[in-house]
Amino acid sequence: MSQSDAGFIAALDEAKKGYDEGGVPIGACLVAADGKILGRGHNLRIQKGSATLHAEMSALENAGRLPASAYEGATMYTTLSPCDMCTGACILYKVKRVILGENTTFLGGEEHLQRKGIEVVNVKSAECEALMAKFIKERPGDWNEDIGEQ
């Protein structure tokens, strides 16, 4: 698993799209075991005034209603370590693996994922870190709101 995987490239493209729209630059892509992209999306909390549309939730939403078998062996690519909500969604749908761009900016539920038998791989993307650092410098209030901080 690497930064050259189609799923990771799609997630990073989504993060950039979110930034360009004025939102939090986090992207995600759900990829089936056979390599087919099931859904991709980006954080839309600001754009849609949503309480829950983090990138992983957006990717799941864009995948649409699927049978449980569709998630078997699936990988969730995300540009940032998943929060507790998104961690829970990955567990609920029995995603096999979570590939994340970085966890320096935010450390989410990686240990919980691992305890549930989900493989977690951090590709330590400098590009993901730089995009988040730029956003946080420009809009610290929006970042704090996104992660539930004052």
Side-chain angles (χ1 to χ4, degrees), residues 58-110:
S58 183
L60 287 164
E61 181 69 19
N62 289 332
R65 183 178 171 193
L66 298 172
S69 60
Y71 302 101
E72 195 171 314
T75 298
M76 178 65 81
Y77 290 86
T78 180
T79 58
L80 186 64
S81 184
C83 73
D84 289 340
M85 175 177 65
C86 297
T87 291
C90 289
I91 292 167
L92 176 68
Y93 290 107
K94 298 177 179 64
V95 168
K96 179 181 179 181
R97 175 181 312 107
V98 174
I99 309 295
L100 56 113
E102 60 107 348
N103 65 3
T104 302
T105 302
F106 178 82
L107 179 60
E110 295 171 41

Side-chain angles (χ1 to χ4, degrees), residues 5 35 61 99 109 114 117 123 143:
D5 289 359
E61 181 69 19
I99 309 295
Q114 291 169 329
V123 299
W143 169 242

